[in-house]
Amino acid sequence: MRPMSTHPIETDVDIPANHVIVLFGATGDLARRKILPGLYHLALAGLLPKAYRIIGSAPPAFAISNEDFRTLARESVDQFSDLAPDGGVWDSFVASLSFVASSAEDGSALLAAIEEAEAAIGGDVSRLFHLAVPPDAVLGLVTMVGGSELRRNARVILEKPFGVDLASAKTLNVVIKANFDETQVFRIDHFLGKESIDNILALRFANRFFEPLWNRDHVRYVQIDVPETITIEGRAAFYEPTGAFRDMVVSHLFQVLGFIAMEQPTSLEARPLRDEVHKVFESIRPIDPTHVVRGQYDGYRDEVGVAPDSQTETFIALRVEVENTRWKGVPFYLRTGKALAESRQVITIGFEEPVMRLFSFASNVPENHGNRLVVDFADPGSIHAHFFAKRPGPEMRLDAAQMTFNYAGSFQKAHHLEAYEYLILEAMLGKRTLFTRSDGIERLWEASANLLASPPAVERYAQGSWGPQSAIDLIAPNSWCLPE
Ligand code: BG6
C-alpha cells in the first residue's frame, strides 16, 4: 500500500501558478485510477496552485453532468487511494470540478468553459491539457487544441504509447511539432516519476561509492526486471495490438536503462540530462531477435477480445547491448510479463568477482551471487548492497550479507508523491527534465525495428510461473536475480 500524506508538505517546494487543468478522457480508466486521486493528493499536500479549476472532458457520447463528474471523482478517490474524500480540502477540490463535452471536431464549448474559469480566477492563468485518451484519439485532439485558441498559454501532457513503430512515432511527432512548441509538450513515462528511479541519479552522482565502479571494468551484467502477477485484466482492446514489448519495454524499461547507463549530465536541467539519456539510446545496438524470448500465458487466448491464434506476447525477456566506452560487452537483461509469480520492480547491478579468491564460502552461498547492488523501485523503494562477510566462528569462512536502505524507514512518508502526481506537478511548473523526448522515442523504435519485423514465436507459460524456460537459458551462465 502506498504511503500517503494528508498534510501539506512543509518544505520550500515550488507551487505552480494558477491553472485551469483540462482532463481529456475524464471518464476513462487512467483518469479514475491515477489522475483524479493524484490531483486530490496534490491538493491535500498543498501543491496545487492557489487558484485552480479542473475541467473533465470526453466526446459527447460519454458526456456526463457536473454532478456526475464530481461523484465519479469521489468514487475514484474512494476506490483507488487511501485518502478520505472529505474535509475542507475535499470541498474546495470538488467545487473546482466541472465537465464539458468536446471532440476533435469541436472544442468551442470547452474554450468557453476555460475562459469562464480563467475570468473567475482572474489575472494570468496557465492551461494544462492532459490527454488521458486512447492512441487513436491523440492526433485529433492535438490538432484541435493546437489549431485553436485553446493553445494559448497551454502545456500538454501526452500519454504513451508514442506510436507503435518508427514510422507512426514520426507521424505523431510531426503533428505535435506542427501544433506546439516543444517546450509546451510533456510526454509522460510514469516510471520516470518514481522516487527510486530519480534516486538513481542521486545514488550515482551525489555519492562517491558507486560511480567509480559503474562501468565495464567492474560490472558483469545489469538486470531490469519487472514481473507482474496481474493478467491483462480485461484490457484486451489495448493489449492485443500492443504486447509486453511496446507496453513496457519501449515505454518504461528503456527509460530506466537510460538513467542507469547515462554519463553525468552537466546539470539536472531538462536539456543536458535528456541529452545524456539520448546518447545512451543512440548507443543501444539494434535489438537482435535471437536475443529475445517472447512468452504468452496459458489462458490468454481465452480472454474476451483476444484472437484464438494470437501471437501477442504477454512476457518478454531480452538482452540489450549498449555499445559505448563505459558499457561495451556488459549485457543488459530486461524482463517483464503478466501473470507471473511475483509483482516486483527491480534493478540489479551485478559486479565482477575479485581477481584473487582467498576465501572459502559457506556451502549455502549460491553461485553467481557475488556483489550486487539491488534497487527495488516499487514504491516505497529500497536499495540493497549484497556482499560477503566473515561468518562468526573459528574459521575464515564467508557468507552472503546485505546492507539495506529503505525509503519507508528513512524519510518522512508525508513527502512522498506517487509517480503521476509528481509528474503532473512538474508539468504545471514547466519542468521537463523527467519527460521523454521525441528524438529519444524515435531512436528506441529504430533500435527495435529488427525485432518488430522478425519477432520470435511466442512460447506458452503457466500462470504464476517465471515465464518460459528459454528466458532462463537466454542469460546463462548468468541467472535472473528473481526469485530471490
Ligand atoms: C503501465 C502499463 O504503463 O504500467 C501496465 O500499461 C503496467 O501494463 C503498468 O501494469 C505498471 O505500472 P506501475 O504503476 O505498477 O508501476
Side-chain angles (χ1 to χ4, degrees):
M1 185 156 293
R2 73 179 173 128
M4 273 295 190
S5 143
T6 50
H7 302 289
I9 288 176
E10 294 163 17
T11 58
D12 54 352
V13 290
D14 294 339
I15 305 297
N18 292 343
H19 260 80
V20 174
I21 300 166
V22 177
L23 178 53
F24 288 113
T27 55
D29 200 51
L30 182 61
R32 289 186 300 112
R33 277 175 192 275
K34 297 282 185 190
I35 304 174
L36 288 165
L39 286 168
Y40 177 46
H41 186 224
L42 286 176
L44 277 171
L47 293 172
L48 279 190
K50 207 157 165 247
Y52 66 90
R53 298 283 187 282
I54 299 168
I55 302 177
S57 193
F62 299 94
I64 54 176
S65 67
N66 289 342
E67 221 26 67
D68 285 348
F69 185 45
R70 290 173 182 160
T71 306
L72 179 144
R74 169 184 286 278
E75 287 169 357
S76 306
V77 170
D78 265 338
Q79 195 179 347
F80 297 112
S81 81
D82 303 341
L83 307 170
D86 54 31
V89 177
W90 173 255
D91 292 344
S92 53
F93 179 77
V94 87
S96 80
L97 299 175
S98 61
F99 188 94
V100 180
S102 64
S103 66
E105 293 72 43
D106 186 7
S108 54
L110 182 59
L111 179 61
I114 291 172
E115 287 176 344
E116 196 184 315
E118 286 170 345
I121 293 173
D124 277 347
V125 183
S126 302
R127 297 175 184 171
L128 180 71
F129 294 94
H130 193 144
L131 273 62
V133 296
D136 57 357
V138 173
L139 286 183
L141 285 177
V142 165
T143 314
M144 189 271 278
V145 174
S148 70
E149 257 302 286
L150 289 167
R151 100 187 263 285
R152 200 175 55 78
N153 222 359
R155 297 194 181 103
V156 185
I157 297 182
L158 299 173
E159 291 285 340
K160 68 160 183 103
F162 305 111
V164 293
D165 56 16
L166 180 58
S168 54
K170 280 188 165 166
T171 307
L172 180 63
N173 286 331
V174 166
V175 175
I176 294 169
K177 279 180 187 151
N179 285 285
F180 295 102
D181 185 84
E182 190 60 19
T183 56
Q184 294 177 282
V185 181
F186 294 76
R187 294 175 189 79
I188 209 165
D189 186 306
H190 77 277
F191 273 41
L192 293 187
K194 289 176 185 277
E195 285 290 358
S196 300
I197 296 300
D198 302 339
N199 191 44
I200 292 170
L201 301 178
L203 183 76
R204 292 188 54 195
F205 304 131
N207 298 296
R208 196 71 186 259
F209 291 144
F210 307 109
E211 198 52 18
L213 304 182
W214 208 265
N215 57 54
R216 63 193 298 272
D217 295 335
H218 302 281
V219 174
R220 185 147 57 100
Y221 61 80
V222 176
Q223 295 186 13
I224 305 172
D225 204 1
V226 185
E228 297 182 287
T229 54
I230 52 168
T231 63
I232 60 161
E233 301 199 311
R235 294 200 302 159
F238 161 75
Y239 204 85
E240 187 49 0
T242 307
F245 181 72
R246 291 184 170 95
D247 182 36
M248 293 293 287
V249 178
V250 180
S251 296
H252 301 317
L253 272 55
F254 276 153
Q255 297 297 334
V256 173
L257 185 154
F259 271 32
I260 296 169
M262 71 194 279
E263 297 300 318
Q264 175 160 346
T266 51
S267 83
L268 297 177
E269 293 300 314
R271 193 186 49 73
L273 189 133
R274 299 193 313 177
D275 279 352
E276 293 306 334
V277 172
H278 189 71
K279 286 183 207 161
V280 174
F281 294 165
E282 290 279 355
S283 309
I284 291 180
R285 280 185 58 77
I287 295 164
D288 179 344
T290 64
H291 294 171
V292 179
V293 172
R294 295 164 73 239
Q296 189 183 74
Y297 63 78
D298 289 337
Y300 174 72
R301 291 179 184 179
D302 304 330
E303 304 253 5
V304 179
V306 172
D309 57 351
S310 170
Q311 292 299 312
T312 300
E313 79 283 354
T314 60
F315 170 99
I316 188 151
L318 63 159
R319 188 171 102 206
V320 176
E321 287 162 26
V322 180
E323 202 161 66
N324 60 21
T325 323
R326 186 187 282 260
W327 294 114
K328 189 172 165 56
V330 178
F332 284 70
Y333 302 127
L334 276 47
R335 178 172 74 166
T336 184
K338 305 285 187 209
L340 295 177
E342 281 181 48
S343 284
R344 299 287 301 274
Q345 303 189 326
V346 174
I347 299 162
T348 306
I349 316 285
F351 290 92
E352 295 286 2
E353 291 185 9
V355 181
M356 300 291 290
R357 270 188 166 251
L358 294 182
F359 301 93
S360 61
F361 291 84
S363 55
N364 60 342
V365 176
E367 259 184 65
N368 283 336
H369 271 232
N371 289 170
R372 282 172 295 140
L373 189 70
V374 179
V375 177
D376 195 327
F377 63 94
D379 280 339
S382 57
I383 302 174
H384 308 269
H386 294 256
F387 64 106
F388 292 114
K390 181 184 172 297
R391 210 152 88 161
E395 284 173 306
M396 190 49 131
R397 189 167 285 247
L398 305 194
D399 211 338
Q402 232 186 88
M403 285 188 280
T404 294
F405 158 80
N406 274 316
Y407 260 102
S410 303
F411 292 117
Q412 277 190 47
K413 288 180 189 175
H415 293 186
H416 178 91
L417 291 180
E418 219 206 18
Y420 257 99
E421 300 161 1
Y422 180 36
L423 291 174
I424 292 171
L425 175 65
E426 292 283 281
M428 278 193 276
L429 292 166
K431 295 183 181 172
R432 294 155 61 227
T433 302
L434 297 176
F435 293 85
T436 62
R437 212 163 69 178
S438 59
D439 55 352
I441 289 163
E442 289 182 13
R443 170 62 198 143
L444 292 176
W445 285 123
E446 189 180 44
S448 308
N450 293 345
L451 174 62
L452 297 179
S454 320
V458 289
E459 298 173 41
R460 307 287 291 271
Y461 63 93
Q463 293 196 28
S465 72
W466 284 94
Q469 172 64 32
S470 331
I472 292 168
D473 304 339
L474 177 76
I475 76 165
N478 290 312
S479 51
W480 295 100
C481 297
L482 294 177
E484 276 154 349

